[in-house]
Amino acid sequence: MKLIFYYILGAFSLLLVSCKNNETLPYLGQTVVENGKEIHHKVGQFSHYNQDSVLMDNSSLSEYVYVADFFFTSCPSICPKVAKQMLRIYDTVQDEPMVKLVSFTIDPKRDDVKKLRLYADNLGIDHNKWYFLTGDKEATLELANTYFVAAFEDADAPGGFDHSGKILLVDKDGHVRSFSEGTDPENTPKIIEDIKKLVASYKAENK
Amino acid sequence: MTKGLNHFIKCFLGGLLTISVIFSCNDSPYMQGKRLYLANCANCHMEDGSGLSALIPSIQKSVYLGKPEIACILKNGLRDTIFKDSTFLVREMPAFKKFSATEITNIVNFVNHSWNTSFKETTITQIEEAINICQ
């Protein structure tokens, strides 16, 4: 009888442990195993200027968890909706220094550093919290793929570009850990929760 | 007998309550205008009319609420450019030429009813007059 009791207790605690493991965010994209080690998908390398003319690359963000999207300032279609959700996320992470926001323009020809600065100013955000990045167009479109964002030039699309309005959560090592559809406001609370979870997991590690 | 009647009244009142709750959930009496707004305006001005910071004006607090100019803006669009240090951002509201006076009336009434605290219904005649003046 006692044995059964311990057995149930053991099974129950195992269940608890496994539930706790489920709380860590998944690694999105393909995971390959090399020499017995799991290698998770990483976002591509970039080297872009931000709205204050500072050259930034992946290493500039290696100390931060960041939320990324792809947009362009003259975008007439989905961008305002996505920007609104980015702004909503921005409002919730303002007091969390570990989190940054990054918006890549897919229209660098029109969106130079000056235009991005003007855009950021009119959005009313802190330039050290939310970066607007511009760089080589082809490189940016390719980079978008590594963030699971489809982006390409299309003369028939409104504004000349077709792209999806995904918002992505990237960890300190460049792994994509969560995403939401920026066009759907009901998606946003979930990614805000995931940002908190990811930040909490880093804080727990440092203890 | 009175018991049966009592029961009937209770059911009737209950039904009435249910119906009124359903109708009150359809928050705006201007459903046509709401539909047009969601399809044509909400992408930029957002469903709640809040806009996007200084980039896209909020309708909630717009000076045009309750004014006839709002019909002209819908019909002809607005072009506004922010200039700063040899660069500029175009804030452009497209012209909705395709809208009929009826459709504009529906949108104007929906928008005013939603966000203008001193709401007064606009008639098609008023909208037609406004459009004639702005052209």
Side-chain angles (χ1 to χ4, degrees):
Chain A
M1 195 62 201
K2 219 173 181 180
L3 205 69
I4 293 171
F5 175 73
Y6 280 122
Y7 178 76
I8 291 170
L9 196 74
F12 195 64
S13 54
L14 204 71
L15 199 76
L16 274 180
V17 169
S18 64
C19 284
K20 204 165 185 190
N21 278 346
N22 283 343
E23 273 182 24
T24 61
L25 300 173
Y27 290 88
L28 303 185
Q30 215 175 11
T31 298
V32 291
V33 180
E34 261 175 45
N35 302 326
K37 260 190 174 175
E38 280 192 336
I39 297 168
H40 303 295
H41 171 85
K42 270 190 186 182
V43 299
Q45 295 293 314
F46 66 86
S47 182
H48 282 49
Y49 286 97
N50 74 9
Q51 69 267 40
D52 293 311
S53 311
V54 178
L55 189 60
M56 293 184 68
D57 61 16
N58 305 63
S59 69
S60 321
L61 294 165
S62 62
E63 293 295 309
Y64 305 101
V65 159
Y66 68 96
V67 181
D69 78 327
F70 290 77
F71 86 116
F72 56 111
T73 61
S74 53
C75 166
S77 53
I78 58 170
C79 302
K81 275 192 164 174
V82 178
K84 187 83 178 185
Q85 297 313 307
M86 286 289 278
L87 202 56
R88 211 172 137 195
I89 293 168
Y90 170 84
D91 285 339
T92 66
V93 299
Q94 254 179 331
D95 299 325
E96 181 44 69
M98 200 195 286
V99 184
K100 300 273 188 194
L101 287 92
V102 179
S103 293
F104 292 94
T105 176
I106 54 173
D107 185 15
K109 201 175 155 192
R110 282 183 283 187
D111 293 342
D112 56 8
V113 165
K114 276 185 188 171
K115 187 157 288 189
L116 292 179
R117 189 190 310 149
L118 194 55
Y119 184 87
D121 281 342
N122 280 281
L123 203 56
I125 53 96
D126 174 1
H127 291 224
N128 288 318
K129 184 78 178 170
W130 189 344
Y131 304 114
F132 290 87
L133 301 183
T134 181
D136 180 70
K137 186 175 74 189
E138 292 308 318
T140 309
L141 295 179
E142 264 177 48
L143 181 73
N145 283 328
T146 72
Y147 285 82
F148 312 118
V149 171
F152 46 90
E153 259 184 293
D154 175 3
D156 295 331
F161 288 91
D162 245 340
H163 70 298
S164 57
K166 279 195 172 61
I167 295 175
L168 300 115
L169 174 62
V170 182
D171 70 15
K172 291 183 180 180
D173 297 312
H175 303 300
V176 181
R177 303 300 293 274
S178 180
F179 75 95
S180 72
E181 293 298 339
T183 45
D184 181 7
E186 286 176 17
N187 253 237
T188 308
K190 164 82 168 59
I191 197 164
I192 290 172
E193 273 313 299
D194 287 348
I195 296 166
K196 283 181 190 159
K197 273 185 202 171
L198 192 56
V199 168
S201 74
Y202 280 112
K203 286 185 175 166
E205 257 173 48
N206 285 342
K207 265 178 193 169
Chain B
M1 189 64 197
T2 40
K3 212 172 186 183
L5 193 70
N6 225 339
H7 186 71
F8 171 76
I9 290 169
K10 268 182 191 164
C11 282
F12 180 76
L13 287 178
L16 210 65
L17 191 73
T18 316
I19 289 167
S20 67
V21 164
I22 289 168
F23 274 89
S24 67
C25 288
N26 272 338
D27 49 353
S28 179
Y30 298 100
M31 288 312 289
Q32 292 289 350
K34 185 175 183 175
R35 237 169 267 146
L36 287 164
Y37 178 84
L38 291 179
N40 296 284
C41 321
N43 224 21
C44 294
H45 291 290
M46 309 295 156
E47 271 183 44
D48 63 357
S50 61
L52 183 64
S53 303
L55 291 164
I56 298 168
S58 152
I59 306 182
Q60 292 173 353
K61 296 159 198 155
S62 172
V63 291
Y64 295 113
L65 280 178
K67 296 201 178 137
E69 287 102 305
I70 201 167
C72 301
I73 296 170
L74 272 164
K75 197 81 182 168
N76 300 326
L78 255 187
R79 207 178 157 85
D80 177 19
T81 310
I82 308 170
F83 288 97
K84 204 194 170 189
D85 311 327
S86 73
T87 192
F88 62 92
L89 266 179
V90 178
R91 298 196 304 170
E92 186 182 15
M93 171 162 154
F96 290 90
K97 294 259 182 254
K98 59 173 182 177
F99 284 164
S100 65
T102 316
E103 286 171 317
I104 292 184
T105 312
N106 283 332
I107 296 174
V108 166
N109 275 325
F110 166 72
V111 163
N112 280 331
H113 181 265
S114 303
W115 300 301
N116 190 4
T117 43
S118 50
F119 171 73
K120 261 175 80 184
E121 188 168 271
T122 310
T123 62
I124 296 181
T125 324
Q126 284 173 310
I127 293 292
E128 278 169 344
E129 277 168 13
I131 293 169
N132 280 335
I133 296 168
C134 61
Q135 278 166 350

